[in-house]
Amino acid sequence: MPNESANPLLLGWIKEWYDVAKERSSKGATVYKKAYESMKACPLTFNHPSEAQQLHGLGPKLCDRLTERLNQHCAENGLPMPKIRRKARKRSIDDKIAEDTDGLTPVKKPRKAKLYVPTLRSGAYALLIALSSVPEGSDQGLPKNEAIRLAEGYCDSSFTAPSDPTKFYTAWNSIKTLETKDLVYIKGRPLKKYVLTEEGWEVAKRVRKTLEDDGQRPKEAESLANARPQKRNSDQFLDLDDEPEEVISTALQGRSPAAENGGQRTTTTTSKSGQRLGEAPIDKYGTFASPRKHKNTTDFDFLELESSPAPQPAPSFARPHHSSTRETEIPAKFPNKEAAAGIAAFAERESESRTTRPVFPSFQPIRLSPGTFTVRLVLDNREVRAKNDRDYIQDELTKKGVKPIVRPLELGDAFWVAKCNDPNLLARYGEEGDEVVLDWIVERKRLDDLVGSIKDGRFHEQKFRLRKSGVKNVVYIIEEISMSQEIASKYHEAMQSAIASTQVVNGYFVKKTQKLDDTIRYLARMTTMLKSIYEAKPLHIIPTAHLTPETYLPLLAHLRTHAPQKSHNITYPAFSSLSSKSDSLTLRDIFLKMLMCTRGITGDKALEVQKLWGTPRAFVEALEACSEERERRELVFGKLGQAVVGRRRVGRALSAKVAEVWGEG
């Protein structure tokens, strides 16, 4: 046992444990070796083993073990166990004052939080100056590209390229620091805008004052009035088939088409539509459009409105107008007054919905010419063959000449993008990224995954989100893998019903494969086909600044109806933001998700409930206002049981279930 140490007893025990661990080839031998070397080199004498925690390699557990061994050693030799030394607290002036008082301890003053001061010419410093260029107290914010443009002159680092090639951080990452310290908050979707909070304005004022003291004047942001495209006259409607440089005016006019033809009524006709891709009729989500043509119009299938009179206050789509009495007329073939009243209420609601169409802005699309982009397949990184073989799909696609882009996707399992050959091409137009989402998306389901999604409700929720995404062509790939006989027979009807509903009701294309390799071959052939289709024609990109969650789907539907020969798309960051489950969720979205948690409430039914009661509080208050139990159980049925037809209809049993979930407790 070594005696040259200041703590020979502790050092000997550690040496003993080290030798045992070394003989057993235990991983703890490394730990004991470090502790032994630290204890041997320490010149201090410890009164208690717990004091050895200050040495490198001795943690609480090892010190506790030394304490137990010392306790055992003292008991065997009849020695007193050393006590832990307590550090004497220094008496402060406040303690002396407290002793002189009547025994009352003064209340400790709360420590004032230190104000955040950014480093001079850092990313946070420059961003605070840029974001404070808008008027204080306004709700105006700056998008990322505008904030970077204003901040570049006040920062020594780049906002786009990392200063260190081995790292990925740029000066723009300082925006996360400002968000964490509640100096900046984000508003807007899909175009994010950054706004200073009250605390942020206080810090920004101090920063700007230092600039003014140095004789510098911060640059001011362009006013939104200058940044936004000017509104066109309401009686102008440009041809959507003109050259892409022309500004597309999509403002909807609230007058009858009869005024365009000297009082003659204009009728509309629709072509026959099927249930497969590219043939299903357009719905309110803007998917599967077959263009509706107007008679007495130009060659571009929409009306010339240059000589129209002033529009009415309420904008709406140009469509044939019908008499209001005729719309609410109750047919004589309905002997049941209750059913007739329901049909009348439904017709009245449809008439009101036609007068509340959104008004779209005028915008200039970004045109990508053929040859400036390449069609690429984007694959979700969660699509794997097995846990221990995660790169199988990616490797097999690469062997077939298709190198996919693998990343986590907000929606779908795979889709295709037009990737710009010049990474800065879209940035010159104020857009983020270098990818444009095409109108094709794939959802892959194995039979066992299909059964699981039907049981937990994900199947309907995914189809609902696919409709809201605005993607025109949706492909469901069903892999018919082998299943146990018990599960196959139990859920056979449910699986067949779900597949048929996807084809007939939703209008999605269903591709059945036998195994994963067949799916990979199908994705490779699809990529080759889409490359031949899209790379030979120009793409028209809707600027993200003109997209909002409220107008995105109606705008796509309008463009696809009036300009079906053109391809209008959005950037990948905008698509990802609009398709995200949790990115900037509104109260309406949360209410819809809450309603769809009840088994039997589909997306269509949830929308109808949300139209009647806009918020969860309004719905709960309506249920609480019911005086009788029967009235409460039939509240939803009374509103949506007969006045609504089709899949949006809510029966008595489902109404009672909703009332039980929302009305009790």
Side-chain angles (χ1 to χ4, degrees):
M1 183 182 297
N3 298 320
E4 64 275 9
S5 173
N7 304 277
L9 202 59
L10 301 180
L11 184 65
W13 291 333
I14 297 176
K15 174 65 175 175
E16 179 183 344
W17 296 333
Y18 169 64
D19 293 338
V20 173
K22 189 176 180 180
E23 291 177 1
R24 297 177 179 177
S25 300
S26 174
K27 295 181 179 179
T30 306
V31 178
Y32 292 123
K33 183 179 180 181
K34 289 182 180 180
Y36 175 78
E37 293 175 351
S38 297
M39 184 66 71
K40 184 177 181 180
C42 179
L44 301 177
T45 302
F46 299 127
N47 184 58
H48 193 276
S50 61
E51 300 175 5
Q53 290 190 31
Q54 57 186 304
L55 299 181
H56 178 68
L58 280 88
K61 291 185 178 179
L62 186 54
C63 290
D64 291 342
R65 188 175 180 184
L66 288 171
T67 303
E68 292 178 2
R69 186 64 179 270
L70 180 61
N71 194 7
Q72 181 182 357
H73 173 77
C74 293
E76 292 175 353
N77 297 276
L79 300 175
M81 180 67 183
K83 295 183 179 180
I84 303 176
R85 292 179 181 177
R86 303 282 184 181
K87 290 184 179 181
R89 188 170 64 91
K90 294 182 179 180
R91 297 178 64 194
S92 62
I93 299 177
D94 295 337
D95 295 336
K96 296 179 180 180
I97 295 175
E99 291 176 359
D100 298 337
T101 58
D102 297 336
L104 299 176
T105 304
V107 180
K108 188 176 181 180
K109 296 181 180 180
R111 185 177 181 181
K112 188 176 181 180
K114 187 178 180 180
L115 295 177
Y116 173 70
V117 179
T119 306
L120 182 65
R121 298 193 65 80
S122 63
Y125 174 88
L127 288 172
L128 285 172
I129 296 176
L131 296 178
S132 62
S133 60
V134 299
E136 183 179 1
S138 65
D139 59 349
Q140 300 177 0
L142 293 181
K144 178 181 178 180
N145 57 345
E146 178 69 10
I148 290 177
R149 185 185 68 83
L150 294 173
E152 283 177 336
Y154 305 101
C155 182
D156 294 333
S157 302
S158 173
F159 281 88
T160 55
S163 56
D164 188 352
T166 61
K167 298 181 180 179
F168 300 95
Y169 295 100
T170 64
W172 176 252
N173 291 96
S174 300
I175 197 70
K176 297 180 181 178
T177 304
L178 299 179
E179 292 177 37
T180 305
K181 296 184 177 296
D182 294 330
L183 301 179
V184 172
Y185 69 93
I186 302 176
K187 58 175 291 186
R189 178 185 175 200
L191 182 63
K192 295 181 179 180
K193 294 185 178 181
Y194 300 88
V195 187
L196 289 176
T197 61
E198 294 182 1
E199 295 80 4
W201 272 107
E202 293 180 4
V203 178
K205 287 177 181 178
R206 295 198 304 271
V207 172
R208 292 175 72 92
K209 190 175 185 303
T210 59
L211 284 178
E212 296 173 358
D213 294 342
D214 295 340
Q216 302 182 35
R217 183 179 179 183
K219 293 184 290 186
E220 300 296 331
E222 298 180 5
S223 62
L224 294 185
N226 297 331
R228 292 176 180 173
Q230 297 182 358
K231 295 183 179 180
R232 305 183 62 86
N233 194 345
S234 59
D235 58 0
Q236 293 182 352
F237 200 156
L238 295 183
D239 191 345
L240 293 181
D241 199 45
D242 284 346
E243 293 298 324
E245 288 74 11
E246 295 293 335
V247 177
I248 296 181
S249 176
T250 57
L252 304 179
Q253 310 300 321
R255 53 182 174 275
S256 171
E260 307 298 328
N261 303 312
Q264 298 179 0
R265 174 169 294 181
T266 303
T267 59
T268 60
T269 59
T270 57
S271 59
K272 295 181 180 180
S273 58
Q275 297 297 336
R276 289 188 174 270
L277 281 175
E279 299 179 356
I282 192 169
D283 60 7
K284 61 184 177 182
Y285 296 96
T287 56
F288 295 93
S290 74
R292 293 181 294 179
K293 297 185 178 181
H294 300 266
K295 294 183 179 180
N296 302 327
T297 62
T298 64
D299 296 336
F300 306 111
D301 298 335
F302 62 91
L303 300 178
E304 293 288 342
L305 303 179
E306 293 184 349
S307 60
S308 301
Q312 299 297 326
S316 63
F317 280 106
R319 60 168 62 199
H321 283 230
H322 301 282
S323 165
S324 60
T325 57
R326 184 175 180 179
E327 294 217 8
T328 57
E329 180 181 359
I330 301 175
K333 64 180 180 179
F334 288 104
N336 188 345
K337 294 182 180 180
E338 203 173 88
I343 295 297
F346 171 75
E348 183 178 355
R349 291 178 61 188
E350 288 294 310
S351 177
E352 292 177 359
S353 64
R354 283 194 290 265
T355 62
T356 58
R357 301 292 183 181
V359 178
F360 305 123
S362 301
F363 67 90
Q364 182 175 358
I366 302 171
R367 186 177 187 270
L368 293 184
S369 303
T372 60
F373 60 88
T374 306
V375 175
R376 298 285 300 275
L377 171 65
V378 182
L379 191 66
D380 192 356
N381 60 358
R382 290 161 290 193
E383 290 298 306
V384 296
R385 183 184 185 183
K387 291 183 179 180
N388 55 357
D389 193 6
R390 305 186 65 87
D391 298 331
Y392 179 79
I393 300 178
Q394 180 181 357
D395 295 340
E396 290 299 316
L397 285 170
T398 304
K399 292 178 183 178
K400 298 182 183 303
V402 178
K403 186 173 178 57
I405 302 172
V406 181
R407 64 165 68 111
L409 301 181
E410 295 287 350
L411 181 65
D413 297 323
F415 58 78
W416 288 264
V417 298
K419 191 173 183 63
C420 299
N421 299 330
D422 182 4
N424 300 321
L425 178 60
L426 295 180
R428 291 196 286 268
Y429 294 93
E431 299 292 331
E432 295 184 29
D434 59 347
E435 297 174 350
V436 180
V437 179
L438 303 180
D439 279 332
W440 292 83
I441 192 169
V442 171
E443 182 71 30
R444 170 178 168 249
K445 293 285 186 187
R446 299 193 315 180
L447 286 183
D448 54 351
D449 184 27
L450 178 63
V451 171
S453 62
I454 293 174
K455 291 168 65 176
D456 60 19
R458 286 185 295 112
F459 183 68
H460 295 288
E461 189 263 347
Q462 287 172 347
K463 291 197 296 184
F464 180 69
R465 293 180 60 219
L466 285 170
R467 292 171 61 187
K468 289 187 65 177
S469 69
V471 178
K472 186 177 180 180
N473 304 315
V474 180
V475 180
Y476 261 81
I477 298 180
I478 307 296
E479 293 183 6
E480 297 179 322
I481 62 172
S482 59
M483 300 176 61
S484 63
Q485 186 65 27
E486 180 183 357
I487 297 178
S489 59
K490 183 178 181 180
Y491 295 101
H492 176 73
E493 293 184 0
M495 290 187 293
Q496 296 302 320
S497 175
I499 294 174
S501 172
T502 302
Q503 290 178 295
V504 178
V505 178
N506 301 107
Y508 298 158
F509 181 78
V510 175
K511 171 66 177 179
K512 293 183 178 181
T513 60
Q514 298 299 321
K515 52 186 178 180
L516 179 59
D517 292 334
D518 295 342
T519 301
I520 295 173
R521 282 193 292 269
Y522 179 76
L523 291 176
R525 292 196 301 268
M526 283 286 295
T527 304
T528 304
M529 182 196 72
L530 294 178
K531 287 174 71 71
S532 63
I533 293 176
Y534 283 98
E535 291 183 357
K537 65 178 183 179
L539 296 179
H540 302 84
I541 305 172
I542 304 174
T544 308
H546 298 282
L547 293 175
T548 62
E550 293 77 18
T551 60
Y552 167 59
L553 294 176
L555 176 60
L556 279 182
H558 183 71
L559 292 173
R560 289 168 179 170
T561 302
H562 290 83
Q565 71 283 358
K566 286 186 178 181
S567 177
H568 290 91
N569 307 90
I570 62 176
T571 62
Y572 174 76
F575 177 82
S576 179
S577 177
L578 290 168
S579 304
S580 176
K581 283 185 177 182
S582 56
D583 188 10
S584 301
L585 278 177
T586 62
L587 179 60
R588 176 180 179 271
D589 298 330
I590 296 175
F591 187 26
L592 291 175
K593 293 172 72 70
M594 293 169 66
L595 288 169
M596 292 174 65
C597 291
T598 304
R599 187 177 182 85
I601 295 293
T602 61
D604 293 328
K605 294 176 182 178
L607 280 172
E608 293 300 320
V609 174
Q610 197 271 338
K611 288 178 183 178
L612 294 173
W613 300 281
T615 61
R617 179 175 179 178
F619 187 41
V620 172
E621 289 178 349
L623 290 170
E624 292 177 349
C626 298
S627 57
E628 299 180 0
E629 177 67 18
R630 181 179 179 183
E631 181 184 0
R632 181 169 60 84
R633 295 171 65 88
E634 296 188 356
L635 175 64
V636 180
F637 172 74
K639 299 288 186 180
L640 303 177
Q642 296 172 344
V644 176
V645 296
R647 295 175 63 86
R648 297 175 295 175
R649 188 175 184 272
V650 178
R652 278 191 172 89
L654 185 56
S655 176
K657 184 187 297 185
V658 173
E660 181 181 355
V661 173
W662 288 81
E664 295 183 358

